[in-house]
Amino acid sequence: MIKAENLTKSYGSIEALRGVSFEVGAGEIVGLLGPNGAGKSTTIKILTGYIQPDDGSVAIDGLDVLAHPREVQARLGYLSENTPLYPNLSVQSYLKLMADLRGIPEADQKQCLSDAIHATGLVDYRTRRIGQLSKGLRQRVGIAQAILHKPKVIILDEPTIGLDPTQIVEIRRLIKRLAQHSTILFSSHILAEVEAVCDRVIIIMAGKVKADARLDELEATSNTILVLQQPVGEIEQQLAVLPNVQGVEPFQSRDGYPAYRVISSADVSPQVYEAAKAQDWPLRELRREVVTLESIFSQLAA
């Protein structure tokens, strides 16, 4: 549904994008992750047709954005980081205005407004002036305008920024509901938001794609973590001779127990378990190591 190829963009001497390429398939929720200034907003502005790249191409639902901007925007729902809302209009009046601007036929507008208001949980606020709403509710209004025309692709730029924890949870749930019918690209610099909402992550740093993978693939390793009730002599040497083991790193678990990271080229947890059983080690915990998105992000940023 989204295909970007070798996008480059400079603002004077500043290279915002340097050969950015990625694809997003139908029905995916993909996080576009990176620090402030990494190139996320520039990428989104190019995807939505707001600015043109210096080089490269981008297509939405098979249509070239530069060649067919209106057709692309008709398939696209967009929530910018600072959505322009009209504080003196009611929610219903604002969405009616957006429906007119979207060119939605009058005969279809009533149903489109009703569907968007119900989907975003704004039923009880539809006659309230936007200026009287909390920031979380205003974000919902922004999302409602983005889905009025039932787009195939929804692009959300920092949709939870500035919200309190309760509002963030509500927006997360809303995004997951929207993904039942649309492809979603979700931009953020907050790691927890990407982990909570997305299936896949594209990490951009300094205008380049540094990683592109499903979260479960990105975080999985072949290493094994072994935690014991009490220390055991020569355990490192016994673990080191197991097939595919490349190294053993001792450390202390969070609750103070002796622990070992068994570094391996393949999953050796079954062999570690058999060794623990045969040697009667006081086993407390045995699991595959999972690398957090935070540690991956830190390694890429180093």
Side-chain angles (χ1 to χ4, degrees):
M1 295 299 291
I2 301 174
K3 186 174 183 179
E5 291 186 306
N6 199 35
L7 296 179
T8 64
K9 181 67 180 178
S10 295
Y11 300 100
S13 61
I14 300 172
E15 290 183 288
L17 298 181
R18 298 187 286 170
V20 168
S21 299
F22 61 86
E23 295 185 22
V24 180
E28 283 191 290
I29 308 178
V30 176
L32 190 62
L33 178 65
N36 290 327
K40 302 187 304 298
S41 292
T42 297
T43 300
I44 283 177
K45 288 175 182 177
I46 291 173
L47 292 177
T48 56
Y50 183 73
I51 61 174
Q52 294 187 1
D54 297 333
D55 197 9
S57 64
V58 59
I60 303 290
D61 193 23
L63 290 174
D64 187 286
V65 173
L66 299 179
H68 308 282
R70 289 189 177 275
E71 292 91 335
V72 166
Q73 288 167 359
R75 291 165 164 77
L76 197 64
Y78 176 43
L79 175 71
S80 62
E81 185 175 351
N82 297 299
T83 305
L85 301 174
Y86 296 90
N88 292 323
L89 290 180
S90 69
V91 171
Q92 199 163 257
S93 298
Y94 169 73
L95 293 178
K96 173 67 168 66
L97 171 64
M98 298 307 295
D100 290 337
L101 292 173
R102 279 283 184 188
I104 299 174
E106 283 283 343
D108 300 330
Q109 284 192 14
K110 183 177 180 180
Q111 188 62 53
C112 288
L113 262 67
S114 176
D115 290 347
I117 287 171
H118 279 83
T120 52
L122 290 169
V123 175
D124 295 336
Y125 306 95
R126 61 186 183 279
T127 59
R128 190 87 60 88
R129 286 177 54 235
I130 292 173
Q132 297 174 333
L133 301 178
S134 68
K135 184 170 177 60
L137 288 171
R138 291 199 299 273
Q139 284 290 77
R140 290 199 209 177
V141 175
I143 294 175
Q145 66 79 24
I147 65 173
L148 264 177
H149 54 305
K150 305 186 187 324
K152 291 184 175 182
V153 177
I154 301 173
I155 296 179
L156 307 173
D157 192 2
E158 303 281 1
T160 62
I161 192 167
L163 303 186
D164 65 38
T166 301
Q167 294 167 338
I168 288 173
V169 171
E170 291 172 350
I171 296 298
R172 286 176 184 173
R173 290 172 179 166
L174 172 57
I175 291 170
K176 288 184 176 181
R177 290 199 301 271
L178 294 175
Q180 296 173 10
H181 308 287
S182 303
T183 298
I184 295 180
L185 183 65
F186 174 101
S187 167
S188 182
H189 66 279
I190 303 172
L191 301 177
E193 292 309 299
V194 174
E195 285 184 307
V197 175
C198 302
D199 305 315
R200 186 174 132 227
V201 63
I202 298 168
I203 299 177
I204 293 183
M205 291 184 177
K208 292 184 176 182
V209 174
K210 294 289 189 177
D212 181 355
R214 290 186 58 84
L215 278 172
D216 53 2
E217 295 171 349
L218 198 62
E219 296 174 348
T221 74
S222 58
N223 298 341
T224 298
I225 298 297
L226 173 68
V227 183
L228 302 180
Q229 281 289 143
Q230 58 195 39
V232 172
E234 299 185 351
I235 187 171
E236 292 179 49
Q237 295 90 326
Q238 294 179 67
L239 289 170
V241 298
L242 294 176
N244 299 312
V245 171
Q246 298 171 329
V248 180
E249 295 178 353
F251 66 99
Q252 192 173 62
S253 68
R254 288 184 180 180
D255 44 6
Y257 291 94
Y260 303 87
R261 177 178 292 104
V262 183
I263 302 168
S264 57
S265 57
D267 180 18
V268 296
S269 52
Q271 293 96 306
V272 173
Y273 174 74
E274 290 299 328
K277 187 168 66 171
Q279 300 295 328
D280 198 24
W281 293 338
L283 185 62
R284 180 178 178 84
E285 182 182 354
L286 178 65
R287 58 179 171 82
R288 288 279 295 277
E289 182 180 34
V290 175
V291 180
T292 65
L293 186 57
E294 181 178 357
S295 65
I296 294 167
F297 192 83
S298 298
Q299 289 171 11
L300 293 172

